[in-house]
Amino acid sequence: MNIILILGDQLTASLKAIQQCDKDNDRIFLFEVMEEATYVKHHKKKLVFVFSAMRHFAKELKQQGYQVNYVTLDDKRNTGSLSGEIERAIVSFKPKEINVTFPGEYRVLEQFKSWEKQFGVRVNILSDDRFLMQPSDFSVWAEGRKQLRMEYFYREVRKRYQFLMEDNKPVGGKWNYDQDNRKTLPKELRVPKPINFSPDDITQEVIALVENNFPENFGSTDNFSYAVSRKDALTVLDGFIKQRLINFGDYQDVMKEGDPWLFHSHISFYLNNGLLLAQEVAEAAERAYKNNDIPINAVEGFIRQVIGWREYVRGIYWYKMPEYKKNNYFNNTRKLPDFYWSAETKMNCLHQCVSDTREYAYAHHIQRLMVLGNFALLADIAPEELNNWYLLVYADAYEWVELPNVSGMVLFADGGLLASKPYISSGAYINRMSDYCKKCDYKVTKKEGEDACPFNYLYWDFLDRHKEKLSANPRLGMPYRTLQKMEKNKIRVIQQDAERFFKKIDNDEKV
Ligand code: FAD
Ligand code: DLZ
Ligand code: SF4
């Protein structure tokens, strides 16, 4: 008899560990444990999502004839940790072997590796075949390269899996159609409503559990409407392909007050907990290109996110952990301003993005990168503070995907391993891509003074403060040439504005 452990982000029936399971003799275990529920103070909706999806998955496995042991968080015998629960299972069932699937976090892998010695039972760590590329594939690709750029890794994945390829060449002749993307939102364009699901009995039970056990956590369980089963997750995917994919590329960077969903797919929750598979998602998009005349810029742009960025950040994570977590290229030390929790700031862009995050445990990529992240980088926020925030607020956040995006893409904390330049901008970019500035207390067109948009002076102050580390970066040539030509007096005013602003933040004054 073998024990099979399935984690909360491994809810995939085609997982090797489940496929190899002998229904008559083996047992599948799922544990809700405090250790996983509290290593960061997860958003309440994330907790509801994880536990409800786990419970639905366990129910489906039982219906398919598997022997399943499910331990709920409030079970009196629950020891509160994965190790404690696996020990209890070993004592009760005396398995020959334990089968686990390669986890999403380094700390969990370390636990898995310790079990064999600790419990004297063979532990098989099976590869996670839901990803198109394994950590070993990434290492082979990365070895000997000076730069690890996503674009080249993405081309490898396209070639290996023959996505959007014709005679071993990219369809349409180009690998990347980003130049055709990033338009602003026309007023008359209707944005489809996201697909919502009412909580069933299982989800309602989980909502009560979360409210009882995590009353102080960020966000609320109100209006929980995510899919929690594969069937419903497939409905979300289908809705995206039919209603939104056509506009995905064009309006990928648009931000709109009160609507974080726009033309995005909203499937990261399901990809990351296993209800959907990257391969089937990319295939669905490619089919839409072949059958429905969806433009190549939309389909390629979307497929690049799923088989490019997503696989690439996982590759970076496993290639560079555990050191990656300690990176702090700019030696940032500032604590996270309180408005990342309260949304109480006069900066309307940040107010809107934090409010969306608190309401939905979701914000789209550009909100995460060019508002919440941009500000954090310009304001020298300490990596551990920012990583903690991103890991807990989003329902799609697990360390393998969160850490490279935050430390690498947002904070440039790895010194440029992941991003070829820091993603920073002044208010002009936010104004171009959103309607946020119209209702802001600050003036986006003003460059200096109390009522000037803080992004405007913080941007130049950042470049000025970090010129030793950044001015040789070829992608920052233009702004550094402008800075060089700037009058000394103007730079002094920028520095004074930034200093006044940081003082207020450090004194917890409203900014
Ligand atoms: P879409 O815009 O529709 O994109 C389709 C899919 O592509 C996503 O579902 C996702 O699986 C994948 N994808 C796109 N960009 C990335 C990326 N940079 N890294 C990995 N996958 C990507 N994504 C997470 O899944 N979990 C996180 O914890 C997470 N943290 C982030 C933190 C920061 C600071 C930034 C800048 C990005 C982060 N992302 C994260 C990436 C991206 O923002 C989300 O995947 C996306 O917003 C999810 O919404 P969607 O499904 O509607 O995505
Ligand atoms: C995120 C999460 C939470 C909140 N709770 C559990 C849990 O109780 N049991 C479980 O198996 N997994 C949970 N997860 C997901 C894990 O944290 C995730 O599997 C690891 O971080 C590895 O990615
Ligand atoms: Fe944000 Fe500046 Fe626009 Fe205000 S003016 S919303 S602070 S970018």
Side-chain angles (χ1 to χ4, degrees):
M1 179 270 172
N2 291 333
I3 280 180
I4 293 125
L5 170 63
I6 301 295
L7 296 175
D9 55 355
Q10 298 178 337
L11 311 182
T12 313
S14 60
L15 221 55
K16 216 184 283 167
I18 297 177
Q19 288 303 302
Q20 289 176 3
C21 173
D22 173 352
K23 282 183 178 166
D24 296 327
N25 295 307
D26 299 343
R27 265 177 190 271
I28 297 179
F29 283 78
L30 291 99
F31 307 128
E32 292 174 6
V33 287
M34 269 297 176
E35 186 182 55
E36 292 308 304
T38 57
Y39 68 90
V40 288
K41 288 183 148 200
H42 303 282
H43 192 297
K44 287 184 188 177
K45 281 198 172 77
K46 180 179 180 185
L47 289 168
V48 173
F49 172 64
V50 170
F51 292 150
S52 181
M54 283 174 74
R55 291 183 185 197
H56 280 87
F57 186 69
K59 192 173 157 191
E60 279 163 25
L61 287 177
K62 279 183 196 162
Q63 283 164 352
Q64 287 161 28
Y66 291 99
Q67 302 184 64
V68 180
N69 282 46
Y70 192 96
V71 180
T72 58
L73 195 80
D74 50 6
D75 186 323
K76 294 273 180 300
R77 295 157 301 176
N78 192 329
T79 55
S81 70
L82 294 174
S83 294
E85 285 310 284
I86 218 59
E87 186 173 16
R88 225 154 54 83
I90 291 169
V91 170
S92 301
F93 293 95
K94 302 190 179 41
K96 197 163 143 253
E97 294 183 2
I98 296 174
N99 289 340
V100 294
T101 303
F102 195 88
E105 302 201 352
Y106 185 86
R107 82 189 155 82
V108 180
L109 181 63
E110 291 296 290
Q111 278 190 47
F112 283 179
K113 285 182 179 165
S114 72
W115 285 351
E116 202 157 289
K117 209 162 162 210
Q118 196 177 344
F119 304 126
V121 182
R122 190 182 159 81
V123 177
N124 304 306
I125 304 177
L126 307 173
S127 61
D128 187 343
D129 295 336
R130 297 172 303 170
F131 290 92
L132 304 177
M133 302 295 257
Q134 294 305 319
S136 54
D137 296 320
F138 190 88
S139 302
V140 169
W141 173 79
E143 225 40 65
R145 280 174 194 260
K146 274 205 195 112
Q147 292 187 316
L148 304 180
R149 293 289 165 254
M150 192 288 296
E151 180 63 30
Y152 297 105
F153 184 69
Y154 162 60
R155 291 180 191 181
E156 291 300 311
V157 188
R158 286 256 310 258
K159 281 188 262 178
R160 185 180 290 193
Y161 286 86
Q162 290 290 302
F163 279 119
L164 297 176
M165 298 294 287
E166 244 167 23
D167 301 331
N168 226 19
K169 293 204 179 74
V171 290
K174 282 201 297 184
W175 288 103
N176 184 316
Y177 288 82
D178 245 5
Q179 268 174 344
D180 305 337
N181 291 346
R182 320 268 144 101
K183 298 196 173 85
T184 55
L185 194 67
K187 272 207 182 75
E188 63 286 357
L189 189 68
R190 195 188 69 82
V191 182
K193 287 214 162 25
I195 297 171
N196 291 328
F197 303 89
S198 316
D200 63 4
D201 289 349
I202 294 179
T203 302
Q204 282 181 25
E205 212 171 280
V206 171
I207 288 174
L209 176 96
V210 169
E211 286 299 346
N212 274 335
N213 287 279
F214 309 95
E216 303 300 330
N217 283 30
F218 188 60
S220 97
T221 57
D222 294 348
N223 307 315
F224 180 88
S225 56
Y226 300 155
V228 287
S229 65
R230 174 161 166 80
K231 179 174 148 283
D232 288 351
L234 282 168
T235 305
V236 176
L237 173 62
D238 190 51
F240 167 69
I241 300 283
K242 289 192 176 128
Q243 297 173 18
R244 304 173 122 86
L245 175 60
I246 188 160
N247 286 315
F248 177 85
D250 284 353
Y251 307 115
Q252 211 175 325
D253 285 11
V254 165
M255 295 175 281
K256 191 172 173 338
E257 248 194 59
D259 187 354
W261 309 103
L262 291 162
F263 293 102
H264 291 270
S265 64
H266 327 144
I267 58 164
S268 52
F269 314 134
Y270 317 123
L271 278 172
N272 294 353
N273 82 340
L275 296 183
L276 293 178
L277 293 168
Q279 179 143 1
E280 71 186 347
V281 166
E283 280 167 4
E286 183 166 21
R287 259 198 315 277
Y289 167 69
K290 286 181 175 156
N291 301 342
N292 303 341
D293 288 338
I294 299 231
I296 186 69
N297 71 308
V299 174
E300 186 282 319
F302 177 70
I303 285 184
R304 178 162 17 94
Q305 309 306 315
V306 177
I307 68 163
W309 276 109
R310 186 169 182 273
E311 297 283 330
Y312 167 78
V313 298
R314 180 171 182 261
I316 291 272
Y317 179 81
W318 287 109
Y319 191 55
K320 287 291 172 188
M321 276 301 276
E323 301 80 31
Y324 203 77
K325 227 174 158 167
K326 297 190 200 120
N327 285 332
N328 190 0
Y329 186 61
F330 296 123
N331 301 315
N332 290 357
T333 55
R334 182 164 279 112
K335 80 175 188 37
L336 195 69
D338 196 50
F339 61 74
Y340 273 76
W341 306 107
S342 67
E344 281 182 25
T345 163
K346 293 188 283 179
M347 292 176 281
N348 193 36
C349 53
L350 280 153
H351 170 73
Q352 294 298 329
C353 293
V354 172
S355 301
D356 286 344
T357 302
R358 190 172 52 188
E359 172 79 14
Y360 303 113
Y362 176 87
H364 74 64
H365 188 66
I366 294 302
Q367 295 179 294
R368 296 187 205 197
L369 182 64
M370 294 311 292
V371 176
L372 297 156
N374 186 9
F375 182 85
L377 177 56
L378 296 178
D380 306 331
I381 305 303
E384 60 276 20
E385 288 264 319
L386 197 67
N387 276 300
N388 176 63
W389 187 82
Y390 275 99
L391 188 55
L392 77 84
V393 298
Y394 294 115
D396 54 28
Y398 304 89
E399 197 177 77
W400 68 265
V401 54
E402 174 277 329
L403 181 68
N405 271 299
V406 174
S407 275
M409 204 184 299
V410 159
L411 287 181
F412 205 72
D414 60 10
L417 179 80
L418 187 145
S420 54
K421 72 173 181 82
Y423 284 93
I424 48 169
S425 81
S426 66
Y429 172 83
I430 297 174
N431 190 32
R432 191 166 64 249
M433 298 317 301
S434 78
D435 56 2
Y436 296 153
C437 301
K438 278 189 217 144
K439 289 198 195 148
C440 187
D441 285 1
Y442 295 104
K443 293 192 174 56
V444 72
T445 48
K446 274 199 80 178
K447 308 272 186 273
E448 54 195 58
E450 290 267 359
D451 62 344
C453 166
F455 284 86
N456 289 344
Y457 50 81
L458 293 181
Y459 173 79
W460 291 110
D461 181 60
F462 175 87
L463 287 171
D464 186 44
R465 278 187 290 120
H466 294 302
K467 52 180 174 278
E468 269 177 30
K469 285 182 172 163
L470 294 178
S471 59
N473 184 319
R475 295 199 63 200
L476 293 174
M478 263 246 285
Y480 271 110
R481 276 194 294 280
T482 310
L483 190 67
Q484 218 168 14
K485 282 189 224 142
M486 229 179 243
E487 285 171 22
K488 290 260 170 336
N489 212 9
K490 198 169 172 191
I491 297 181
R492 231 180 340 267
V493 172
I494 286 169
Q495 286 167 342
Q496 282 163 359
D497 278 334
E499 220 170 279
R500 173 182 39 77
F501 183 84
F502 286 141
K503 211 166 174 183
K504 279 190 176 177
I505 287 199
D506 293 338
N507 290 336
D508 289 331
E509 286 174 49
K510 189 166 179 179
V511 288

